[in-house]
Amino acid sequence: MSPPFELALPAAPQLAKFALGYLAVLASPGPNMLAMATLSALRGFRGVLPFVVGIASGAGTLALLVWMIFDALPDVPGLEVSGRAIGAFVLLLVALRVARTPPMREGPYRPLHADGEEPAAAFGAGFGTAVMNPVTAAYCAAQFVGPLAGTPGSALAPTLVLLQVLLYGLLVATLFARPAMRSLAIRHHRRVCTVSALVLAVLAVVLVTPLLAAG
C-alpha cells in the first residue's frame, strides 16, 4: 500500500469532517463565485478554466502554508485542548462572516479579466485572489490546531482543499454559464449563506464536545 493511502485510511473520518466544513465555506456565495460565473457566461467553459485552476491552486497553497506553520509548532501539553477551544471560536467567527455575506448584484458585472487576456494572467489573478483569502486561512487554522492536530492525515488536507476548490469551481463554471442559474443563486443567496453558517456552527460544537464531556 502506498504512503498516501496509509495516511488517508486512518484519518478518513477527520478528513471527511474537514471536507464537509470547507464545503460549507465554499457554498456561501461571494465575489469569487460571481467572477467565475460571469467569466463562464462571457467566455464559455473553456475560457474560465485558467481562472478556476488559479483559484484552486491558490487555495491549496494557502492551506499548505497554514499547515506548515502549525506542524512546526512544538508538542506542548494541553495544546489540543486550547486548539479545540480556539478552533471552535474561529469556526463560529467564520460562520458569522458567512451568514453576513452581502448579496451579489444581479445585472452587469465587471470581471477581473478583460477580454483577450492571456491564460497565464487569468491563472495569476485567480491564484492571487485565493491565496489571500482570510476565510480559508481561518478555517484551516482552526482545523490544524483542533481535530487534525497531530493526525497523520493532516498533511493531506491541503491537497483536499485544492481538489475541493477545483471541483467546485468547475461545477460553478458549468452551471452558471446559463444566466438563469446565476439569477437563481442570487435570489436564494440568504438561504444558502444561512445553511452554510449553520453547518460551520454545528462543526464548532462538535469540536468542543470532547472538552465538555471530559469536564
Side-chain angles (χ1 to χ4, degrees):
M1 185 177 295
S2 61
F5 286 103
E6 293 177 357
L7 289 176
L9 289 179
Q14 291 88 352
L15 289 174
K17 293 177 182 179
F18 175 89
L20 176 63
Y22 193 60
L23 181 61
V25 173
L26 291 175
S28 58
N32 288 349
M33 177 190 289
L34 186 55
M36 287 187 291
T38 305
L39 284 172
S40 62
L42 293 175
R43 297 180 171 187
F45 178 79
R46 293 181 61 183
V48 77
L49 280 179
F51 183 69
V52 171
V53 174
I55 286 185
S57 301
T61 300
L62 176 59
L64 178 61
L65 291 174
V66 174
W67 172 76
M68 291 174 65
I69 291 173
F70 285 97
D71 187 61
L73 292 177
D75 188 9
V76 179
L79 182 61
E80 182 182 357
V81 174
S82 355
R84 284 183 175 272
I86 295 172
F89 179 71
V90 171
L91 280 180
L92 289 175
L93 290 180
V94 173
L96 180 62
R97 173 166 180 161
V98 168
R100 299 177 61 183
T101 301
M104 299 182 293
R105 297 178 183 177
E106 191 168 6
Y109 176 79
R110 177 65 178 171
L112 298 178
H113 325 293
D115 290 338
E117 184 182 37
E118 292 297 327
F123 174 89
F127 184 91
T129 300
V131 82
M132 299 297 292
N133 189 332
V135 176
T136 293
Y139 178 76
C140 290
Q143 294 295 305
F144 292 144
V145 298
L148 289 181
T151 62
S154 62
L156 300 177
T159 302
L160 188 58
V161 168
L162 187 151
L163 293 176
Q164 278 191 269
V165 176
L166 179 61
L167 292 176
Y168 186 76
L170 294 176
L171 177 64
V172 168
T174 301
L175 295 179
F176 283 63
R178 303 176 181 180
M181 289 297 299
R182 187 163 66 252
S183 298
L184 180 66
I186 292 173
R187 288 197 302 270
H188 293 281
H189 165 87
R190 185 50 53 201
R191 295 178 183 175
V192 173
C193 288
T194 301
V195 171
S196 299
L198 286 175
V199 171
L200 291 171
V202 169
L203 289 175
V205 174
V206 171
L207 195 59
V208 296
T209 298
L211 304 182
L212 300 177

